[in-house]
Amino acid sequence: MNKERKLIIAGNWKMNKTVTEALALVDDLKNGLANIKEVDIVVCPPFTALSEVAKALRGSNIQLGAQNMSEHDVGAYTGEIAAAMLKELSVRYVILGHSERRQYQRESDELISKKAQAAHTVSLIPIICVGETLAERETGRTEKVLETQVRGSLTGLSKDQMAETIIAYEPVWAIGTGQTATTAQAQEAHAFIRGLLVGLFDEAVARRVRIQYGGSVKPANACELMSQPDVDGALVGGASLEARSFIEIIKNSI
């Protein structure tokens, strides 16, 4: 698949996989994906597995991501993890503002923007999640919600930082539900987000930014979703926990 931007497919393991289970999954992924060069492949294990998974991925074509981080650099923040701590473990990407954190931890756009800025200070690449709920879509507020989240979450980023930032469009109603946005719905939302980036930054930056789709991505729908002009990859949840399905998603996307 010849696209302007290189596809990036990341597996968000959420609160799954012990260290032993994580290493077994990584071993299978390395074997199944060894020859893939057309896609940037990322796995995002729980914090407890990052160190061992980092060692296991050394020399492979799979990169490491974290699922969250603090907006603070250092200090009395019990239970938090700083960007520099992740960087030390060879983490390259960090998911910020996932809908589950927005919902359960009440994370705001302002907080997410602070985290994104903190990530860039140590050259971590943020994957910033945005997306509407079912109620918001049904009442015609999708674009308003996306504009609010995109504007708020990207505040303070320079053009150069934005070009090195990934956005993940995840319609909340499609995460873990088995429902998936149609390809037309996904492309429409991605194109709208890219249009916002033109206004917030400029055309050149907007063309460089990769926008992933997340929400019940499966091997069966990967090819059609990835073929859309503004869909530049996927943030995969449940299907990334099983080697065969994650490998098939990646291979079907090429």
Side-chain angles (χ1 to χ4, degrees):
M1 187 183 296
N2 183 21
K3 290 180 76 96
E4 183 179 0
R5 295 165 294 274
K6 188 176 183 180
L7 288 176
I8 176 166
I9 297 180
N12 176 15
W13 295 2
K14 306 190 181 184
M15 197 174 72
N16 296 287
K17 303 296 181 187
T18 63
V19 175
T20 302
E21 291 167 343
L23 292 175
L25 176 53
V26 162
D27 201 41
D28 289 341
L29 293 177
K30 285 197 300 183
N31 290 332
L33 296 169
N35 299 318
I36 303 293
K37 297 182 176 64
E38 302 91 335
V39 178
D40 284 335
I41 305 164
V42 185
V43 293
C44 302
F47 289 128
T48 50
L50 286 175
S51 180
E52 291 302 315
V53 169
K55 294 173 193 171
L57 291 179
R58 205 166 288 154
S60 78
N61 60 335
I62 303 173
Q63 299 178 82
L64 187 62
Q67 297 177 23
N68 181 45
M69 52 162 258
S70 174
E71 72 275 26
H72 301 291
D73 297 332
V74 68
Y77 302 103
T78 301
E80 293 292 335
I81 292 180
M85 296 172 180
L86 296 178
K87 186 73 174 179
E88 188 181 34
L89 296 178
S90 302
V91 170
R92 183 80 176 109
Y93 298 86
V94 59
I95 300 170
L96 300 177
H98 191 280
S99 65
E100 289 157 1
R101 294 200 62 83
R102 289 178 183 265
Q103 179 182 351
Y104 303 132
Q105 278 76 34
R106 302 286 186 265
E107 291 197 358
S108 65
D109 296 325
E110 181 184 14
L111 175 63
I112 293 158
S113 77
K114 289 177 181 176
K115 290 186 178 191
Q117 292 170 66
H120 278 294
T121 61
V122 297
S123 300
L124 285 180
I125 298 174
I127 298 174
I128 298 177
C129 302
V130 298
E132 80 285 5
T133 65
L134 184 59
E136 289 164 344
R137 173 166 281 275
E138 288 179 340
T139 52
R141 289 182 286 157
T142 295
E143 291 190 353
K144 178 63 178 170
V145 169
L146 291 179
E147 181 170 4
T148 299
Q149 291 181 346
V150 168
R151 284 183 180 278
S153 301
L154 303 180
T155 299
L157 294 184
S158 68
K159 288 183 180 181
D160 286 346
Q161 288 173 333
M162 188 64 231
E164 291 298 315
T165 297
I166 292 160
I167 294 177
Y169 168 62
E170 294 201 307
V172 180
W173 48 271
I175 298 173
T177 62
Q179 293 189 67
T180 311
T182 64
T183 49
Q185 286 172 326
Q187 167 57 24
E188 182 180 27
H190 282 235
F192 176 74
I193 291 168
R194 202 173 304 281
L196 291 174
L197 297 178
V198 173
L200 291 170
F201 298 94
D202 61 31
E203 182 81 40
V205 170
R207 273 210 314 272
R208 283 184 61 187
V209 173
R210 293 186 286 183
I211 307 175
Q212 297 175 305
Y213 173 76
S216 298
V217 178
K218 300 180 283 287
N221 59 30
C223 178
E224 193 175 359
L225 283 165
M226 298 310 122
S227 69
Q228 301 305 302
D230 287 296
V231 178
D232 307 312
L235 184 56
V236 185
S240 71
L241 297 173
E242 199 271 314
R244 182 180 295 179
S245 59
F246 192 55
I247 291 167
E248 286 182 4
I249 286 171
I250 291 165
K251 290 184 174 179
N252 290 353
S253 299
I254 300 170

